[in-house]
Amino acid sequence: MIEIKNVNWVNLEDKKIEVKDISIHSEDKIEIDGRGKFLMPGLADMHTHITPASAKHYLYSGVTTVRNTGGNYELLNMIDGVSPKVYATYRFIDGEPGLWGPSSYGNISTNKIDTALAGVEELHKQGAKFIKVYGNIQEDVLEAVVKKSSELNLEVAADLLHTKSIDSLKAAAYGVKWLEHASSIVHSLYPDYNTQISTEEFERISQSEVDEQRLTEVLTNLREKEVKIVPTLSLYRHLAEGRTFNLPEIGKSKQMKLLDEDKVFTVNNQFNAIESRINDDFRIRQKWEYQQVKAITAKYLEIGGEVYIGTDAPAGTWVYPGLSMIEELNEFKSFNLDAFDILKKATVEAKAVTGEDDSYLLLNGNPIEQFENILDINTVFVDGESFKHSEIANHIIEAEEMIRMFEEVEKKYEIL
């Protein structure tokens, strides 16, 4: 048992901080003097893409649980013990042509119902916690996937950012329970909209005001069908604004320094490559989508819809594993939520989905005063294991074995 004495417990349920002794289940017998420190539940990123190379960066920023929204079963099984808990799906199901190309180690691209259902069976056998579908999926395939998933007690999550035919109301009618990025709701509000429309058509749509009555009708329909959204606001904002952080401390943090110096997880190379291809027209569209999704999120919270906090790291640009959760928390300050509400949403409410766990953060500063204080970590506790912050930073990833496995997996799915 780990005993933390006289610590400032951040009581998110009762919205208060109280000095108390906290016991954490563990095979180790450790007593910690918590005086002057703060203890809170670990953060849960509800939309991200973890890899063996990035796993430690989540813990280093206080993320102890991740909902992995697409990846590969074999590669995720290579993640070592210095990692958050992973609530995962693996290959996502898309239409053909696939938005990420033909079927591979990360996706199943098909317009055939039988092939898609075989994909659902594969994911179920692998122990996936849910099924993910993508923007080019055909309606008949989506309907069949949702039906089969329901029979297997698996919810379906949809990233329909680039859809041309399935808006949020259709998705909900078929039984989709999660709209990643709050996607396809904009399509329900502006029926002529999709991400491939001309500049002239986009200008026409973007200059029209959202119909508040229509917004309420759409979101009420989704709420009644128990649809959850994960808005990933930082993703939209960085695609619109570039490498500008809503908390200046992010760029100067120990976490960013560790990311910058990582020779295995070289995410900045990926971000710079994407950034070089982004033009002004794309940024304008992303800024508009960011504003739309903020308005959608605000209204959904207002009417009692389920909203979860996630980042999509490391997709897009400048969205970092673990670290970007602090930015995303800050985005939620504009929704008439106080710091206790936001942290409860990012911990207690999220873990009601992924499964309650015994994961905590021992912090040197008060996270209620400012979310940046979450980055000033003393110790991370994950299911009975304790990790000093310096230990996480110094952890070495077995890069050669990871590369070898990646090459094998690539060949395996090329053959399939």
Side-chain angles (χ1 to χ4, degrees):
M1 191 70 71
I2 298 171
E3 303 283 351
I4 306 176
K5 302 290 188 179
N6 300 307
V7 72
N8 292 295
W9 169 242
V10 183
N11 185 335
L12 299 174
E13 296 287 358
D14 298 330
K15 293 191 174 186
K16 63 183 180 181
I17 294 176
E18 50 194 354
V19 177
K20 60 189 300 185
D21 297 342
I22 300 287
S23 297
I24 300 174
H25 179 74
S26 175
E27 293 182 3
D28 299 324
K29 192 170 183 178
I30 303 172
E31 186 172 302
I32 298 172
D33 182 358
R35 283 177 294 183
K37 295 182 174 58
F38 294 80
L39 189 72
M40 63 169 279
L43 298 173
D45 188 332
M46 292 297 281
H47 182 119
T48 191
H49 301 276
I50 192 171
T51 65
S54 67
K56 75 174 188 179
H57 292 286
Y58 291 92
L59 285 189
Y60 199 59
S61 294
V63 174
T64 59
T65 301
V66 297
R67 177 173 171 264
N68 188 73
T69 50
N72 175 270
Y73 173 74
E74 289 92 345
L75 293 176
L76 284 176
N77 276 339
M78 288 194 68
I79 295 174
D80 62 28
V82 183
S83 167
K85 290 182 64 177
V86 182
Y87 180 91
T89 193
Y90 306 108
R91 296 205 293 165
F92 60 76
I93 301 172
D94 197 6
E96 196 172 19
L99 287 163
W100 288 93
S103 294
S104 70
Y105 64 90
N107 62 294
I108 302 163
S109 296
T110 183
N111 292 337
K112 297 178 180 178
I113 290 175
D114 288 349
T115 303
L117 296 185
V120 174
E121 290 280 7
E122 171 194 279
L123 289 160
H124 180 249
K125 289 176 182 176
Q126 291 171 342
K129 302 300 185 183
F130 59 100
I131 304 298
K132 167 91 171 285
V133 300
Y134 215 59
N136 270 356
I137 193 167
Q138 301 298 297
E139 288 190 48
D140 59 340
V141 177
L142 176 60
E143 184 176 20
V145 164
V146 172
K147 183 175 183 295
K148 180 64 176 179
S149 300
S150 179
E151 292 170 0
L152 298 171
N153 295 315
L154 296 170
E155 290 186 329
V156 173
D159 174 351
L160 298 172
L161 280 174
H162 302 291
T163 185
K164 292 182 179 179
S165 61
I166 305 172
D167 73 341
S168 64
L169 297 179
K170 278 188 180 179
Y174 286 129
V176 168
K177 290 300 182 185
W178 291 79
L179 291 176
E180 309 300 327
H181 316 293
S183 61
S184 75
I185 299 174
V186 171
H187 299 68
S188 298
L189 302 175
Y190 303 92
D192 296 330
Y193 175 76
N194 65 69
T195 56
Q196 292 85 46
I197 57 176
S198 68
T199 299
E200 293 75 21
E201 186 66 6
F202 172 75
E203 287 177 353
R204 180 188 67 78
I205 291 173
S206 64
Q207 288 169 10
S208 61
E209 294 290 330
V210 66
D211 183 329
E212 288 293 331
Q213 182 177 344
R214 175 64 175 167
L215 176 62
T216 302
E217 288 173 355
V218 168
L219 295 182
T220 299
N221 181 290
L222 297 181
R223 186 200 65 203
E224 289 172 350
K225 289 184 168 56
E226 300 180 335
V227 172
K228 302 96 166 167
I229 70 170
V230 189
T232 62
L233 292 161
S234 296
L235 173 71
Y236 288 105
R237 189 177 58 75
H238 280 297
L239 287 169
E241 299 177 4
R243 197 178 189 274
T244 303
F245 300 109
N246 63 21
L247 293 166
E249 292 81 0
I250 293 286
K252 302 172 185 176
S253 66
K254 292 183 290 186
Q255 285 79 2
M256 186 64 79
K257 186 173 186 293
L258 187 67
L259 284 156
D260 287 342
E261 294 176 351
D262 196 321
K263 303 302 183 186
V264 177
F265 183 64
T266 54
V267 69
N268 284 329
N269 293 342
Q270 170 189 314
F271 291 159
N272 281 316
I274 295 171
E275 185 88 357
S276 67
R277 300 195 296 272
I278 294 178
N279 58 34
D280 290 342
D281 180 63
F282 181 82
R283 290 201 190 280
I284 289 168
R285 295 185 186 218
Q286 290 299 308
K287 183 175 182 179
W288 180 79
E289 289 198 10
Y290 170 63
Q291 293 166 342
Q292 296 298 312
V293 173
K294 281 195 81 170
I296 288 164
T297 304
K299 177 62 73 172
Y300 209 46
L301 286 165
E302 180 186 314
I303 68 171
E306 289 187 60
V307 179
Y308 295 91
I309 299 178
T311 65
D312 202 21
T317 57
W318 320 118
V319 184
Y320 292 93
L323 185 55
S324 287
M325 268 297 286
I326 310 304
E327 273 206 289
E328 197 70 16
L329 295 177
N330 211 45
E331 291 281 354
F332 272 67
K333 286 182 177 179
S334 63
F335 299 138
N336 198 31
L337 300 172
D338 62 27
F340 284 102
D341 292 327
I342 296 168
L343 289 180
K344 182 180 177 183
K345 190 164 286 297
T347 57
V348 177
E349 292 182 17
K351 291 172 187 178
V353 173
T354 63
E356 294 295 336
D357 63 24
D358 215 18
S359 300
Y360 302 91
L361 307 177
L362 185 62
L363 308 174
N364 295 316
N366 185 347
I368 298 300
E369 288 181 357
Q370 54 184 24
F371 292 140
E372 303 95 295
N373 284 342
I374 295 173
L375 298 176
D376 191 6
I377 296 170
N378 178 288
T379 309
V380 179
F381 304 94
V382 182
D383 282 356
E385 297 287 331
S386 61
F387 301 93
K388 298 294 289 185
H389 210 221
S390 57
E391 294 172 348
I392 300 170
N394 294 329
H395 180 65
I396 303 298
I397 307 297
E398 293 293 336
E400 289 186 8
E401 177 64 15
M402 184 179 67
I403 292 168
R404 184 193 64 76
M405 175 60 79
F406 178 77
E407 290 172 349
E408 286 185 7
V409 166
E410 248 190 336
K411 289 177 182 177
K412 171 185 173 181
Y413 286 99
E414 278 177 8
I415 293 169
L416 294 178

